């Protein structure tokens, strides 16, 4: 069988998987913008971070699946502030800015939009891969670290941070810093996350805020 070059084979496999993916069909049926929406739904069904009235920041929000789920769950008294390099079609209950989160101005811009502390910082950001393993690894870790730093700056005590990481990609330093700043840190792999992908989520809950650590 003629398969063409590597890239066209992988695009073909991607398309095939996409067409046969029950989550893709379900997202379409339910008017959700991405199959990724089910990952957040699943995580939140289990850990209940998106409470009514909560204030949420969604980093790397395009095309908007997570923002849709978040806006629905926090309801009209809540707030969803979202950012992405790519534009998204407007979503009810979501304030969006098209911007690179790694821009110096981005954290301040988001804070101004929030106009107060956040209860949850979500990050489904994924850097474009270059194919160079070490470079890709550093880019991914860099984005998660920036997201975690931002979360520390904006979260109210008791707040939560949920971020996409990759198996083998969570640096020990980041994990220990999160364990210091949050009561519980866990790795979660929702069923909607393809089992053949190295994608994994890190969920940190119970942000300690500025309170000094209890040392007994
Ligand atoms: N959670 C989204 C949903 O449910 O529709 C899907 C997010 S997608 C997997 C990852 C997104 O991260 C992409 O849209 C990409 O543009 C964005 N992204 C990557 N690096 C970024 C950066 N530096 N600043 C802002 N967005 C970024």
């Amino acid at each position: 069988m003629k398969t063409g070059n590597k890239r066209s084979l992988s695009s073909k496999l991607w398309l095939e998987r996409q067409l046969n993916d029950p989550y893709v069909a379900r997202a379409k049926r339910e008017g959700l913008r991405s199959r990724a929406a089910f990952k957040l739904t699943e995580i939140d069904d289990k850990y209940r971070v998106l409470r009514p009235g909560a204030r949420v920041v969604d980093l790397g929000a395009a095309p908007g699946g997570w923002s849709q789920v978040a806006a629905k769950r926090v309801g009209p008294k809540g707030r969803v502030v979202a950012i992405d390099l790519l534009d998204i079609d407007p979503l009810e209950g979501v304030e969006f800015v098209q911007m690179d989160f790694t821009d110096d101005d981005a954290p301040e811009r988001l804070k101004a939009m929030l106009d107060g502390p956040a209860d949850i910082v979500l990050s489904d950001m994924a850097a474009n891969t270059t194919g160079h393993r070490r470079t890709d690894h550093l880019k991914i870790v860099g984005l998660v670290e920036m997201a975690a730093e931002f979360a520390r700056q904006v979260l109210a005590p008791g707040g939560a941070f949920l971020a996409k990481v990759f198996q083998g990609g969570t640096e020990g330093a980041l994990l220990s810093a999160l364990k210091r700043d949050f009561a519980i840190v866990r790795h979660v792999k929702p069923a909607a996350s393809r089992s053949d992908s190295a994608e994994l989520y890190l969920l940190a809950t119970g942000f300690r805020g500025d309170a000094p650590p209890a040392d007994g």
Side-chain angles (χ1 to χ4, degrees):
M1 187 176 84
K2 199 171 174 221
T3 53
N5 61 29
K6 240 183 173 176
R7 180 180 287 266
S8 66
L9 176 63
S10 70
S11 322
K12 224 170 112 183
L13 291 175
W14 180 87
L15 186 64
E16 226 163 73
R17 199 168 55 179
Q18 196 73 357
L19 293 172
N20 294 322
D21 187 331
Y23 289 107
V24 172
R26 201 175 137 201
K28 210 168 164 187
R29 232 178 17 244
E30 295 181 17
L32 291 164
R33 293 203 179 158
S34 63
R35 74 186 293 296
F38 298 112
K39 301 177 199 171
L40 180 61
T41 301
E42 252 187 270
I43 295 171
D44 190 52
D45 282 349
K46 188 154 179 199
Y47 298 105
R48 302 272 167 214
V49 282
L50 297 166
R51 300 206 177 88
R55 302 153 68 88
V56 185
V57 183
D58 185 8
L59 307 173
W66 279 29
S67 283
Q68 279 180 300
V69 172
K72 188 159 180 217
R73 294 198 169 195
V74 302
K77 291 204 171 116
R79 188 147 197 189
V80 180
V81 165
I83 184 170
D84 203 289
L85 290 168
L86 307 173
D87 200 9
I88 68 167
D89 288 332
L91 275 172
E92 205 183 317
V94 179
E95 290 162 72
F96 177 77
V97 61
Q98 182 180 4
M99 197 171 184
D100 185 338
F101 176 66
T102 65
D103 272 9
D104 290 347
D105 302 343
E108 288 312 316
R109 180 76 186 270
L110 288 168
K111 283 182 208 165
M113 285 162 76
L114 261 177
D115 195 24
D119 300 299
I120 306 124
V121 172
L122 306 171
S123 169
D124 198 19
M125 282 190 291
N128 282 332
T129 48
T130 63
H132 183 265
R133 277 194 64 156
R134 186 70 197 145
T135 308
D136 290 343
H137 177 77
L138 289 174
K139 277 172 76 176
I140 290 163
V141 172
L143 272 180
V144 182
E145 278 177 350
M146 281 192 71
E149 175 52 31
F150 174 75
R152 268 184 219 109
Q153 291 172 17
V154 297
L155 281 178
F161 173 58
L162 172 67
K164 170 148 65 195
V165 294
F166 288 87
Q167 247 135 25
T170 315
E171 300 280 279
L174 173 65
L175 209 56
S176 28
L178 289 173
K179 283 183 177 161
R180 184 196 60 213
D181 297 337
F182 291 83
I184 303 173
V185 180
R186 31 164 93 82
H187 279 106
V188 289
K189 173 89 176 170
S193 173
R194 293 180 167 125
S195 55
D196 60 352
S197 119
E199 169 187 277
L200 196 66
Y201 289 86
L202 197 146
L203 175 63
T205 48
F207 182 58
R208 295 187 211 277
D210 290 331
D215 54 10

